[in-house]
């Protein structure tokens, strides 16, 4: 059976507590979700942290450290730390998860986009916390900034920490940014691309668009591994397409709160189990964390800073 990497994005910085009672908020909830994802066949967990009281996305290094050290003591799953951070975080704040923990893998957002969550405001009338509607509304006037200057700075500290960048590609132009960084020697091939589809401000999820991204990356970059993650209800359709195209997949409540139309996912592990079932029907098996390390050329848990 072919092996592919299944990633779960545990909680993210986009959805808010009112949107789902199953969204992990506290460090213990995030730890439990990561361990359950590992048991369900996930090889990588992409992690953000939140204020345990209010569920607001934050960059608290003590919480990151508690989660990372506890998980590392219990299993060998790969932790992919966010450098996207909370909406509106500065690039200095965002960089801390790599400079503080030297993880094996971290997200690297390969360009600037508008990041519009504000249409979600129409779906909810009552909010559990006052910060939620303000946080969502703020995205109407928010540019997720990743300039060439910060991209080059990010390449430096990823390299200095021997952290593999998971290059988040929200639109075609970011493939060109990556080709530029490779050509200038800031990034080394083979690169690891995460095609992020369905964000308002980036490319929409469709088979044609995914095939275009893969083809465009082949023309512009050449040697790469790719994964696909989708914000919203197209998640499982496009992840299935990713498997068919030879890619890896990312599921998780950061990207999609539902297991199927009208049914909230009760955990990240539920979504992992679903994509594992689909993959199995296609003759594809979930890669172990060790197999994923070899696919991606990661440094191993002995080399991390936590
Ligand atoms: N924080 C969002 C604006 C990442 O984790 O690197 C983007 C994000 C991507 O969450
Ligand atoms: Zn993220």
């Amino acid at each position: 059976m072919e092996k592919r990497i299944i990633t779960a994005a545990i909680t993210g910085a986009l959805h808010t507590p009112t949107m789902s009672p199953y969204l992990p908020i506290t460090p213990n909830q995030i730890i439990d979700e990561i361990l359950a994802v590992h048991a369900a066949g996930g090889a990588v967990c992409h992690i953000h942290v939140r204020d345990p009281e209010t569920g607001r996305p934050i960059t608290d290094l003590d919480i990151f450290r508690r989660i990372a050290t506890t998980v590392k003591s219990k299993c060998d799953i790969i932790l992919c730390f966010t450098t996207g951070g909370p909406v509106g975080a500065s690039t200095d704040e965002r960089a801390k998860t790599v400079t503080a923990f030297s993880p094996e893998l971290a997200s690297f957002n390969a360009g600037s986009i508008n990041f519009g969550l504000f249409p979600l405001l129409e779906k909810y009338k009552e909010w559990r916390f006052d910060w939620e509607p303000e946080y969502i509304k703020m995205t109407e006037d928010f540019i997720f900034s990743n300039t060439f200057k910060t991209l080059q700075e990010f390449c430096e500290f990823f390299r200095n920490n021997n952290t593999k960048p998971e290059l988040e590609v929200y639109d075609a132009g970011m493939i060109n940014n990556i080709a530029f960084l490779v050509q200038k020697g800031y990034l080394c091939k083979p690169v690891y691309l995460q095609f992020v589809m369905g964000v308002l401000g980036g490319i929409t999820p469709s088979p044609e668009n995914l095939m275009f991204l893969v083809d465009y990356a082949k023309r512009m970059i050449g040697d790469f591994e790719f994964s696909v993650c989708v914000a919203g209800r197209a998640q499982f359709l496009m992840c299935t397409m990713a498997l068919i195209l030879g890619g890896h997949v990312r599921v998780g409540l950061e990207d999609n709160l539902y297991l199927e139309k009208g049914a909230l996912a009760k955990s990240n592990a539920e979504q992992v189990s679903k994509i594992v079932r689909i993959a199995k029907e296609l003759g594809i098996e979930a890669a172990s964390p060790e197999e994923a390390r070899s696919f991606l050329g990661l440094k191993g848990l002995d080399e991390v800073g936590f």
Side-chain angles (χ1 to χ4, degrees):
M1 294 256 258
E2 271 192 68
K3 302 266 187 167
R4 299 289 172 72
I5 300 167
I6 297 177
T7 295
I10 297 295
T11 188
L14 314 175
H15 294 125
T16 64
T18 299
M19 299 175 187
S20 170
Y22 307 108
L23 188 68
I25 303 293
T26 68
N28 284 340
Q29 287 170 342
I30 293 170
I31 290 164
D32 291 346
E33 289 274 321
I34 293 169
L35 298 176
V37 161
H38 179 255
V44 181
C45 277
H46 170 73
I47 56 171
H48 293 246
V49 301
R50 292 176 181 257
D51 180 318
E53 302 303 317
T54 67
R56 185 176 185 123
I58 53 175
T59 304
D60 181 314
L61 298 183
D62 293 334
I63 296 179
F64 269 113
R65 183 173 301 282
R66 180 173 151 201
I67 291 169
T69 52
T70 305
V71 166
K72 185 184 169 201
S73 72
K74 293 175 182 294
C75 75
D76 67 340
I77 200 162
I78 299 161
L79 293 178
C80 174
F81 286 63
T82 179
T83 65
V87 172
S90 70
T91 44
D92 287 347
E93 179 186 334
R94 291 168 45 194
K96 287 177 182 168
T97 50
V98 172
T99 53
F101 302 114
S102 298
E104 294 181 90
L105 189 64
S107 60
F108 181 116
N109 293 274
S112 303
I113 50 160
N114 293 341
F115 212 106
L117 304 171
F118 60 91
L120 285 171
L121 286 171
E122 294 152 23
K123 278 188 72 179
Y124 305 91
K125 293 302 164 235
E126 303 282 316
W127 298 93
R128 282 179 57 196
F129 300 98
D130 291 346
W131 68 265
E132 292 182 71
E134 294 155 16
Y135 185 83
I136 298 293
K137 175 107 178 102
M138 175 178 75
T139 65
E140 215 165 20
D141 191 25
F142 168 62
I143 294 175
F144 185 33
S145 172
N146 298 284
T147 66
F148 281 107
K149 178 173 180 292
T150 52
L151 291 177
Q152 290 166 22
E153 288 164 356
F154 273 49
C155 286
E156 289 290 311
F157 64 73
F158 269 73
R159 184 169 49 247
N160 294 343
N161 286 277
N162 194 7
T163 297
K164 176 96 175 177
E166 179 187 272
L167 298 161
E168 315 298 326
V169 173
Y170 299 81
D171 211 341
M174 295 189 190
I175 291 170
N176 209 18
N177 296 351
I178 292 164
F180 170 79
L181 293 168
V182 168
Q183 189 232 329
K184 293 294 181 190
Y186 283 99
L187 288 175
C188 302
K189 289 198 279 189
V191 293
Y192 179 38
L193 307 178
Q194 179 80 253
F195 295 127
V196 183
M197 307 183 86
V199 170
L200 180 58
I203 198 165
T204 51
S206 76
E208 300 83 357
N209 287 351
L210 180 54
M211 292 182 76
F212 161 70
L213 288 175
V214 173
D215 178 60
Y216 188 54
K218 282 177 182 166
R219 284 181 279 130
M220 296 303 293
I221 299 170
D223 191 8
F224 60 90
E225 290 281 339
F226 77 93
S227 177
V228 173
C229 92
V230 182
R233 66 171 67 94
Q235 181 181 58
F236 286 100
L237 285 173
M238 294 310 302
C239 283
T240 303
M241 175 99 189
L243 293 169
I244 293 166
L245 292 175
H248 308 288
V249 293
R250 176 172 121 171
V251 294
L253 303 188
E254 171 167 346
D255 306 325
N256 174 31
L257 293 172
Y258 291 82
L259 188 66
E260 56 203 10
K261 189 169 167 54
L264 287 171
K266 292 185 176 54
S267 67
N268 285 273
E270 261 197 346
Q271 291 188 348
V272 170
S273 300
K274 179 169 177 177
I275 199 67
V276 164
R277 273 197 314 275
I278 293 170
K280 199 167 167 57
E281 293 301 325
L282 300 172
I284 295 167
E285 248 185 334
S288 69
E290 273 317 296
E291 288 164 334
R293 287 186 174 90
S294 67
F295 294 162
L296 299 178
L298 302 186
K299 64 186 177 182
L301 274 174
D302 293 345
E303 303 298 319
V304 298
F306 55 86

